[in-house]
Structure formats: C-alpha cells, structure tokens
C-alpha cells in the first residue's frame, strides 16, 4: 500500500461500535510483539493492521478523524532529559500498548527505572482539513505528559486515567508533522517524592498487585473541528416528565449561536428542542426505560447553529432513559433502578491482560469480559481502581450492565499524601466523573478502597461529598471496605455502607441513611495448569478448591448465603472477587488468558438469576407484634417438618414432633410465655413455662434456656425482635445483639444463624424456611 486509505465518515450511531478510522498518512504497520507470558484469543489479531482501529469516543462522534495508533519511535531514560526534535529515536513501540506489555513490542521489566518515556511520530494532516482547527486527543497516558508539535510545546497533562486534548492547529504545516510526547510515570517508585494514583500497579508485582502499565495506553487520534465547535455534552435523563436534560459546552466564538438537540429511536426523531448553552429539556415521549433486562439506547444528534440557523458543527451521541436512587422497600433502604429495587450482583473487574496489561488487545477482547458477566447472570460490574477506555463503557451501556466505577487509588502502602498529592487525586476524580456523565451504565462512584491512600476521615467525607455534588444523579460509595485493612474506619457518609469480607458473605445492616452492600467477597481459587502466570512464581487465592465441580458448588452456596443476607440483614448488592484471574491471583471465573471458564457456567448463571429474581419480590422486614404475657408455641414452617415445635431439653433448644398424644412434659417444654424484651421492651423475651425465670437465649450460637442472672449479657442474649418471616410469611426472631442472625433450627437443634455458610448449622440451604416460625396456640395452656 503506497498511499493512505481515505478518511471514513462516521456511521450512524446504531453501528458506531464498528466505526474505524481511515488509515494514517504513512502505512499503519506495527512492531512485532514480544512473547507474552500467556496468549489470549485476540493476541494474534492485535497487531494485524492498525491497533484498536475503532472510533475511540462513541459518546460524541464526528465524521472525520485519524487514528494515530501503531508504530511510534521510543526513547527511555532514567533521568528527566530534554526532548529531541528532528531526530530518530532508538526504539520502536506499538501505541497504545504500555511499554511493559508484550504487544508494545518492548516488554520491559516491571522494575525498570527508566521512568521517562519519549515518543515520536510523523503525521501528515489531510488537505481536506484546511480551514478547520485540528485537535490532538489522548485517551489516557500514565502519568504526566508534555506534548510538542513541530518543536512547539502545545500542552501538558497530569493524570493516568482521563482523556485530554490539545489544539495543535498553529504549529501544523503541510507535509509531515513531528509529534513528540514526553511521559513521566514513576508508578510506586517514589521518584522525586511522587505519589500518583496507580490502582493495582507496582514496580514489584506479586499477590494482589500487578505489573505496571507505563506511558500511552489508550488510543491517540487527530480530529478536525470548525472554529466554533461543540466540546462536550452533558446528558441527564429525567423520568418524571420523560425528558432528557442537555447542556452543551463549546470552543471558539459562539456569539449568537444556538443548539438543536434531536432524540432518535433508530433513525426516527422522537423529540427535539432548541436551546443555548445552559441546560434545556428534550422531550422523549413514552420513554423506554434502560435496564440490564432491556438496555435500550436512544440516539442523540446535537447541531450547533449560527445566527442564521445554519449548521456550524454536529456531533452524535446516545443515551439511556434510566434513574438510580435510594428508597425504602418494605422497611429497608434499598437502591432503586427506575423506581424499583433489584439486587445488584456483580464481580470485581480489574481489567488486566497478559498480552496488553492495561490495554485490551482488541475491541472484541474489551467487550468479552462484559459479555461474560452477562453470560454468567450478573447485572453489575465493579471496575476496580482503574478506568477503562470510553468504548468499554459503550459496551456496558449496550449490553446492560450496571457499573460501579472506582476512583483509582494512591499506593496501598501506609503513606500520607501531601496536600498537593491529595489535590491531584481529587482533580483526577473530578475528571473521571466529568467523562462518564452520559453513560447510563454508571450508577455508583467509589471514592476510597480499604484505606489505600486515605489520609483522614475528614478527607474521605469531603471528597465523597464533592463527587456527590458534582454528580447528584448517581450514588456515591465513600469507602468500599471501610471495615478492612488500612481503613481509618466508617466515614458514615455517602449513599452506601460497604464491607469487604473474605470469604464471606456478610454484610453491614442497612440504615435509614445508607444502603448495605458487600463490596468484595469470595475469592475462590482453582489452578489451571497451562493457563496461569505469576511474576514471582507464587499463586494466591482466598480459598482453594480441588476441581470445577467443588468450585461451582462452593460458589452457588455463597450466592444462596448472599440471598439470605438480602432477606435477613437488608443487603442490597454484592461484588464477587473476581471475573478473571490476575497474574498471581487465581480466583477468577476465567483464567487470566480468558481461555478457560473454571466454573459450570450454567449453574453460576442460574444461581445469580435466582438471586436477582428473589429481589424483585423481597418481603417486608417490618416488626411483628406478639401478645405480651401470654403463652405461645413455635411451629416449624420448613416443608416436611411442620409437625415439629421449638422445645427445650436439658437446657438446650431443639425441635421435636408434638401432637395431642405427647406427654405433658413435652407440651410444657414446647410452650413459652411472651415477655417484654429484657434488654429492649420493644422486642421480646421468652420465658419457660415449666422453668419460670429461665429464658430462651443464644450462647456461642447455640440456643438454650438460661436463668436470668440479671447480667447485661444475659438480657441481650435473651432478647429477640419479631419480624415478618424471612421466607415471606410467619414470624422470624432476630437476635437483639447480633442483628441479621435469627433463631434457626437445623437437624433438630436450634441455633443463631444468618445462613451464610461455614458450620453445618449455618448452611445457606433452607435457611429462610428454617428461620421462619408460626406462632401458635400453646401446647400447655
């Protein structure tokens, strides 16, 4: 090929996922890849032509653009050298793959101290762009970037996870133009006192921390725009009146200009409105709601018009009509999607690849992990302390996955950030929120994780509030795993109360101000020889399983335990660790190379869908009034065992068959007097009929009768709060001092249980039925 292919025009948004660039002014070839530690199904395709040729910004498309991915020149330096112009650099690298990756063609060691990277590329701008401004876009570069065009500095940027743009019109000339990019990425080396947000990257990978991704790691591209142009569009659906709120920002002189916004269903305009540069409403009549079950996307056409109403600029977008909120559902604060509670179940998705590290080898690979979430029956994904390219969010939007987006953290080491470093973290957080306002899939922002980089609770609260103020349409998780690790404790703010429990599951109690979620749990591991790689030769999981069947059995049990927590403790969401193995961490549903699904996919899907279905009809947890100072008996409700009743024998509680022919002793043992709670009069205590002064209490999880010794511990252990039965009918008796644990029978014995697994008496199976009782007329009247 001796001349470039023509620049392709943007396709209608319906097929924007397939939109690819016209080729560069020079042939778009690539440096041969190095041998990755593992190959994925897409490794061989990654460098066949222009790497990642798809249009990189599906949420705001224009007709003309040039993809600058492919071979660039490279120089690596341990010191802060000056850039070199009009000079060939000694190495070659495939942009946008990090220099540590095999697909970059460099594959440098994780601990390499050449933290200064210089990239060089010659580009010819099409003559047809004459008269327009030319923008140079970077999807993401880790971490601090300076750019020159033809020797002229055009701008700098600090931040490894957000996009940035420079207007490079002034220094451009006919023929070849030289672009030089300087990147400083110290990762966690602490070079020059640095402390950048890095997520899971480290110079010394192992365990739960992984190989770094330095330099350019998302698409680089050129775009021509009019002298007055659209620079951004904020979109906010409002279901109350079926409108889309639109705010357009611009570049250049837009005096006397206006904006026409048109909402389309396919190619049919369903609503339009004209406005200025403040928020205005576009009607979307009888709007179809976006959800994981129906991820319907409308198209949006934005036209910038001059005073004569002539088109100056046009961009195309998409949107989903959905709202995320919180509200009380049958007595429990829950997240609501479009006004209804649905349990959000997902995985921790860390987004590393053995061939491309931070950069997926192809767009199909980028979409694969999300599609696998859908295949496995999940409706949510937590993007863990990394921010993916815009196309990842488009795939989540079109597939229908709720996204919890983490703010990438500072180092996990206990190092206090300076004021300037804290300010940089907050700047990057603001940029992340700004870039994802239009994505219907994004429903939660997580600010801190397990105390990593946390300075003080006051900072945590302040940053969480700043994110909420910036985007009040989404939920804010101030601190995921505040009960864990280096956390400074519960900040008590935000929309979400988030625990990490390995293996789990377990949950905080839902409160009147925050929903209860399990932000990380699980971590079940299975070895897959031939499909695993560790940078230090060691492999880690939270619990090893011997084979796929055992692994699947254990997972299905964890899901049932999660459902029990939804019913008994008010849990509203859970995040399982994790979707794929990560280097030396082998607790994924899939291997790191995405070649093997380690669990029985059909059984996993059935378990997850059953959990989601159960949430749609979750019952009331309202208090139940019991008749004080009267005798009552407690009948088992578990099918097949309804002829059994709660009784005590030798001080321990059991269930036993009781009928009209039973002995008087058995009838007495199976009868209790309902008293006001010894620790709280709004709850209840149950006094033995034939052993007055003895009360039903729990002790080390076993339920028994004990004399009232007047101690605070006895009073608390012997107090039970009556709720609507967790199975949906009858009565459940919740421990006063261990909320979320209930009086439960198992194998004729009676225990205090939350049904999350572990001991046999805490088995998830049949927990809801076993923990529900019918309060009946007494056997000993």
């Amino acid at each position: 090929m001796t001349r470039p292919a023509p620049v392709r025009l943007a396709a209608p948004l319906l097929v924007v996922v397939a939109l690819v660039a016209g080729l560069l002014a020079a042939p778009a070839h690539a440096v041969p890849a190095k041998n990755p530690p593992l190959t994925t199904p897409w490794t061989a395709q990654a460098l066949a032509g222009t790497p990642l040729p798809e249009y990189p910004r599906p949420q705001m498309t224009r007709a003309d653009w040039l993809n600058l991915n492919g071979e660039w020149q490279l120089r690596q330096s341990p010191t802060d050298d000056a850039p070199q112009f009009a000079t060939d650099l000694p190495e070659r690298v495939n942009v946008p793959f990090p220099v540590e990756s095999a697909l970059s063609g460099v594959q440098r060691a994780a601990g390499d101290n050449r933290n200064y990277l210089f990239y060089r590329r010659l580009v010819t701008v099409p003559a047809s762009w004459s008269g327009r401004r030319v923008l140079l876009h970077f999807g993401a570069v880790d971490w601090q970037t300076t750019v020159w065009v033809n020797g002229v500095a055009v701008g700098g940027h600090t931040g490894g996870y957000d996009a940035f743009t420079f207007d490079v019109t002034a220094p451009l000339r006919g023929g070849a133009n030289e672009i030089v990019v300087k990147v400083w990425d110290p990762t966690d080396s602490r070079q020059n006192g640095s402390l950048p947000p890095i997520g899971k990257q480290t110079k010394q990978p192992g365990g739960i921390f992984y190989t770094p991704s330095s330099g350019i790691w998302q698409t680089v591209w050129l775009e021509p725009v009019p002298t007055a142009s659209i620079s951004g569009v904020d979109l906010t659906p409002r279901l109350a009146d079926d409108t889309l709120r639109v705010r357009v920002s611009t570049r250049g002189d837009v005096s006397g200009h206006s904006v026409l916004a048109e909402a389309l269903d396919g190619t049919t305009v369903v609503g339009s409105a004209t406005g200025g540069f403040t928020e205005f409403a576009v009607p979307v009549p009888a709007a179809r709601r976006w959800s994981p079950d129906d991820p319907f996307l409308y198209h949006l056409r934005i036209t910038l018009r001059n005073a004569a109403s002539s088109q100056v600029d046009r961009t195309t977008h998409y949107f989903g009509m959905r709202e995320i909120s919180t509200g009380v559902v049958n007595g429990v604060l829950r997240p609501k999607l479009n006004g209804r509670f649905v349990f959000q179940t997902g995985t921790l998705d860390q987004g590393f690849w053995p061939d491309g590290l931070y950069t997926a080898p192809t767009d199909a690979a980028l979409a694969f992990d999300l599609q696998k979430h859908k295949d496995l029956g999940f409706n949510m994904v937590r993007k863990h302390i990394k921010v993916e390219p815009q196309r990842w969010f488009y795939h989540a939007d079109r597939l229908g996955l709720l996204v919890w987006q983490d703010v990438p953290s500072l180092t996990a080491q206990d190092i206090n950030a300076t004021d300037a470093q804290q300010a940089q973290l907050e700047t990057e957080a603001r940029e992340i929120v700004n870039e994802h306002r239009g994505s219907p899939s994004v429903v939660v922002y997580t600010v801190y994780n397990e105390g990593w980089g946390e300075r003080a609770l006051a900072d945590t609260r302040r940053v969480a509030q700043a994110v909420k103020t910036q985007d009040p349409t989404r939920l804010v998780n101030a601190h995921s795993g505040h009960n864990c690790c280096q956390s400074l404790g519960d900040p008590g703010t935000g929309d979400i109360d988030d625990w990490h429990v390995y293996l789990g599951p377990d949950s905080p109690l839902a409160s009147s101000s925050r929903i209860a979620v399990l932000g990380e749990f699980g971590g079940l591991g299975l070895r897959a020889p031939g499909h695993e790689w560790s940078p230090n030769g060691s492999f880690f999981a939270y619990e090893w399983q011997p084979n796929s069947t055992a692994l699947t059995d254990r997972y299905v049990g964890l899901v049932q335990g999660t459902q029990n927590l939804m019913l008994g403790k008010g849990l509203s969401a859970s995040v399982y660790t994790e979707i794929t193995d990560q280097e030396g961490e082998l607790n994924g549903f899939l291997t790191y190379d995405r070649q093997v699904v380690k669990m029985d996919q059909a059984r996993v899907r059935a378990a997850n869908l059953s959990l989601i279905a159960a949430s749609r009809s979750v019952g009331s947890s309202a208090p139940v009034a019991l008749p004080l100072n009267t005798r009552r008996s407690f009948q088992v409700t578990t099918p097949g065992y309804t002829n059994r009743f709660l009784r005590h024998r030798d001080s321990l509680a059991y269930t036993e068959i009781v009928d009209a022919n039973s002995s008087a002793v058995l009838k007495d043992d199976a009868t209790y007097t309902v008293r006001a709670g010894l620790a709280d009069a709004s709850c209840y205590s149950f006094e033995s009929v034939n052993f007055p002064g003895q009360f039903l209490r729990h002790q080390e999880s076993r339920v028994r009768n004990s004399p009232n010794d007047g101690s605070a511990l006895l009073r608390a252990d012997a107090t039970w709060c009556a709720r609507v039965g967790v199975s949906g009918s009858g009565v459940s008796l919740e421990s006063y001092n261990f909320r979320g644990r209930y009086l439960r029978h198992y194998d004729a014995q009676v225990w205090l249980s939350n049904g999350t697994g572990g001991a046999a008496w805490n088995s998830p199976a049949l927990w809801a039925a076993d923990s529900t009782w019918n309060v009946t007329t007494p056997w000993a009247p």
Side-chain angles (χ1 to χ4, degrees):
M1 181 175 178
T2 59
R3 58 192 178 92
V7 177
R8 297 184 184 179
L9 300 183
L13 191 59
L14 184 64
V15 293
V16 73
V17 69
L19 181 62
V20 297
L23 298 182
L24 303 178
H29 57 278
V31 183
K34 300 293 187 180
N35 291 323
L38 297 169
T39 58
T40 70
W42 308 274
T43 303
Q45 306 166 23
L47 303 180
T50 302
L52 298 171
E54 295 80 12
Y55 194 91
R57 191 185 59 198
Q59 195 49 292
M60 191 170 85
T61 69
R62 287 191 181 90
D64 294 343
W65 70 293
L66 285 179
N67 190 323
L68 300 189
N69 292 344
E71 180 182 326
W72 288 55
Q73 297 176 11
L74 175 70
R75 180 171 68 88
Q76 305 180 72
S77 175
T79 58
D80 188 4
D81 301 338
Q84 299 172 359
F85 303 118
T87 301
D88 282 344
L89 304 184
E91 297 180 81
R92 299 295 180 267
V93 62
N94 295 317
V95 168
F97 296 105
V99 294
E100 292 88 354
S101 71
L103 288 175
S104 73
V106 180
Q107 201 177 26
R108 77 177 195 184
D112 196 304
N113 70 348
R114 293 173 295 169
N115 297 326
Y116 293 90
L117 305 173
F118 295 86
Y119 296 80
R120 180 174 181 264
R121 174 71 184 266
L122 298 180
V123 178
T124 298
V125 176
S128 61
W129 291 9
S130 178
R132 289 183 279 177
R133 309 299 297 181
V134 178
L135 306 180
L136 175 59
H137 298 288
F138 294 84
V141 181
D142 198 3
W143 172 64
Q144 195 170 85
T145 307
T146 310
V147 179
W148 295 262
V149 174
N150 295 327
V152 177
V154 295
H157 177 79
T158 299
Y161 298 94
D162 58 301
F164 55 97
T165 297
F166 303 125
D167 186 325
V168 298
T169 310
L172 289 176
R173 59 196 180 207
N177 292 271
E178 180 187 54
I179 300 175
V180 173
V181 179
K182 174 186 175 182
V183 182
W184 176 47
D185 184 20
T187 314
D188 58 350
S189 68
R190 305 290 289 159
Q191 185 179 36
N192 301 338
S194 59
L195 189 63
I198 56 174
K200 286 292 193 81
Q201 301 178 77
T202 177
K203 292 280 191 178
Q204 298 178 312
I208 66 169
F209 298 96
Y210 320 124
T211 302
S213 289
S214 299
I216 299 171
W217 68 275
Q218 290 186 27
T219 292
V220 184
W221 52 298
L222 285 171
E223 179 186 37
V225 299
T227 54
S229 64
I230 299 161
S231 61
V233 179
D234 281 344
L235 307 175
T236 306
R238 195 166 84 173
L239 303 189
D241 59 1
D242 276 350
T243 60
L244 178 71
R245 303 290 162 149
V246 175
R247 182 190 296 268
V248 175
S249 53
T250 59
R251 295 184 183 90
D253 183 1
V254 293
S255 300
H257 288 52
S258 63
V259 173
L260 171 65
E262 299 170 285
L264 299 93
D265 181 346
T267 58
T268 302
V269 175
V270 296
S272 64
T274 301
F277 305 110
T278 57
E279 184 178 277
F280 62 95
V282 178
V284 189
R288 185 170 165 183
R289 296 340 190 201
W290 181 98
S291 73
D293 293 330
D294 183 20
F296 180 78
L297 297 175
Y298 287 92
H299 306 157
L300 181 70
R301 191 161 56 214
I302 299 291
T303 305
L304 180 65
R305 304 190 296 186
N306 61 21
S309 296
S310 298
Q311 177 179 320
V312 172
D313 191 17
R314 171 171 284 177
T315 56
T316 53
H317 310 250
Y318 67 87
F319 63 95
M321 290 296 288
R322 71 101 185 91
E323 287 181 353
I324 188 75
S325 62
T326 62
V328 175
V329 179
N330 289 328
V332 176
L333 190 68
R334 303 281 192 183
K336 288 186 171 183
L337 178 66
N338 302 331
R340 297 184 61 188
F341 168 56
V342 59
F343 193 93
Q344 297 182 27
T345 178
T347 82
L348 204 69
D349 184 344
Q350 309 204 58
F352 281 74
W353 299 82
D355 45 13
L357 294 177
Y358 253 21
T359 308
T362 69
D363 190 65
L366 190 68
F368 175 83
D369 286 359
L370 294 171
Q371 181 61 59
K372 189 54 64 176
H373 279 83
K374 296 291 288 189
D375 295 343
L376 291 166
F378 292 105
N379 62 4
M380 177 261 281
V381 54
R382 178 184 173 194
K383 178 48 64 174
H384 191 39
I385 47 182
K386 178 196 177 188
V387 184
E388 295 286 2
Q390 290 284 356
R391 293 194 62 81
W392 184 91
F393 292 90
Y394 171 70
H395 292 311
D397 294 337
R398 69 176 180 83
L399 290 171
L401 278 167
L402 304 173
V403 172
W404 293 15
Q405 178 60 60
D406 290 6
V407 173
S409 65
L410 304 176
T411 176
Q413 305 303 316
D414 189 14
I415 300 172
N416 287 331
T418 65
D419 287 347
Q421 290 161 346
Q422 177 69 24
Q424 178 60 34
L425 172 72
E426 295 177 31
T427 295
E428 295 193 32
R430 284 194 297 273
E431 290 302 315
I432 290 165
V433 174
N434 272 337
E435 287 184 18
H436 300 101
R437 289 180 185 275
S439 180
S441 61
V442 178
V443 295
V444 173
Y445 290 112
T446 300
V447 178
Y448 282 93
N449 179 79
E450 295 183 352
W452 299 358
E454 187 180 29
R455 298 198 310 179
L457 282 175
D459 279 336
T460 306
R461 296 183 185 110
R462 179 177 52 77
V463 179
Q465 184 55 54
V467 171
K468 187 68 174 183
T469 300
Q470 184 181 358
D471 188 353
T473 70
R474 292 178 169 90
L475 306 185
V476 172
N477 187 352
H479 195 155
S480 183
H482 66 73
N483 64 320
C484 175
C485 314
Q486 297 170 204
S487 170
L488 299 178
D490 183 1
T493 191
D495 299 297
I496 293 172
D497 188 357
D498 182 323
W499 281 5
H500 293 179
V501 184
Y502 287 100
L503 289 165
D506 203 350
S507 167
L509 278 169
S511 69
S512 60
S513 60
R514 291 185 297 169
I515 62 175
V517 311
L518 179 54
E520 293 181 26
F521 80 110
L524 303 174
L526 176 66
R527 297 292 299 269
H531 299 277
E532 54 189 35
W533 173 80
S534 167
N536 61 10
S538 298
F539 295 101
F540 165 82
Y542 291 93
E543 178 185 280
W544 293 106
Q545 294 295 323
N547 53 56
S548 178
T549 299
L551 182 67
T552 306
D553 289 345
R554 187 77 162 99
Y555 175 77
V556 170
L558 293 180
V559 175
Q560 182 61 63
T562 303
Q563 182 170 323
N564 293 341
L565 289 170
M566 177 185 71
L567 298 174
K569 215 172 180 183
L571 181 67
S572 289
S574 62
V575 179
Y576 179 83
T577 301
E578 60 195 303
I579 185 61
T580 72
D581 294 345
Q582 302 288 314
E583 296 192 356
E585 188 177 357
L586 301 185
N587 44 33
F589 285 99
L590 288 84
T591 53
Y592 189 29
D593 58 9
R594 278 70 168 179
Q595 303 276 8
V596 178
V597 180
K598 296 195 287 184
M599 296 191 199
D600 182 327
Q601 181 169 299
R603 291 184 61 204
V604 169
R605 177 179 175 83
N608 290 332
L609 293 180
S610 177
L611 169 61
I612 294 169
S615 72
R616 300 186 190 279
S617 57
V618 66
S620 173
S621 63
V624 172
L626 301 180
L628 286 173
N629 303 317
T630 61
R631 294 182 175 186
R632 288 293 184 269
S633 292
F634 298 88
Q635 180 189 19
V636 170
T637 65
T638 308
Y641 297 91
T642 55
N643 57 350
R644 304 182 73 91
F645 289 78
L646 175 68
R647 63 85 55 97
H648 61 84
R649 185 178 71 233
D650 298 329
S651 296
L652 293 175
Y654 296 90
T655 66
E656 190 165 329
I657 296 172
V658 185
D659 58 29
N661 297 319
S662 296
S663 68
V665 170
L666 177 53
K667 291 178 179 178
D668 286 346
D669 288 349
T671 303
Y672 287 86
T673 302
V674 180
R675 303 295 189 191
L678 297 175
D680 184 339
S682 67
C683 295
Y684 302 95
S685 293
F686 303 103
E687 186 178 14
S688 171
V689 165
N690 49 352
F691 288 89
Q694 292 192 13
F695 289 82
L696 192 71
R697 60 88 60 96
H698 60 84
Q699 187 177 44
E700 296 179 351
S701 297
R702 188 72 164 87
V703 177
R704 64 192 67 231
N705 275 12
S706 290
N708 181 6
D709 60 9
S711 68
L713 179 60
L714 181 283
R715 292 197 302 271
D717 288 350
T719 300
W720 306 85
C721 299
R723 312 288 189 201
V724 173
V726 290
S727 67
S729 61
V731 175
S732 290
L733 299 175
E734 183 182 23
S735 168
Y736 168 77
N737 52 348
F738 288 88
R739 291 300 173 90
R741 295 178 181 267
Y742 290 78
L743 188 77
R744 185 256 180 104
H745 68 87
Y746 182 85
D747 196 21
Q749 298 177 344
V750 181
W751 297 84
L752 187 66
S753 171
N754 62 5
T756 58
W761 49 263
N762 206 38
S763 166
L766 296 176
W767 174 84
D770 291 351
S771 299
T772 300
W773 306 81
N774 285 329
V775 181
T776 67
T777 55
W779 282 109

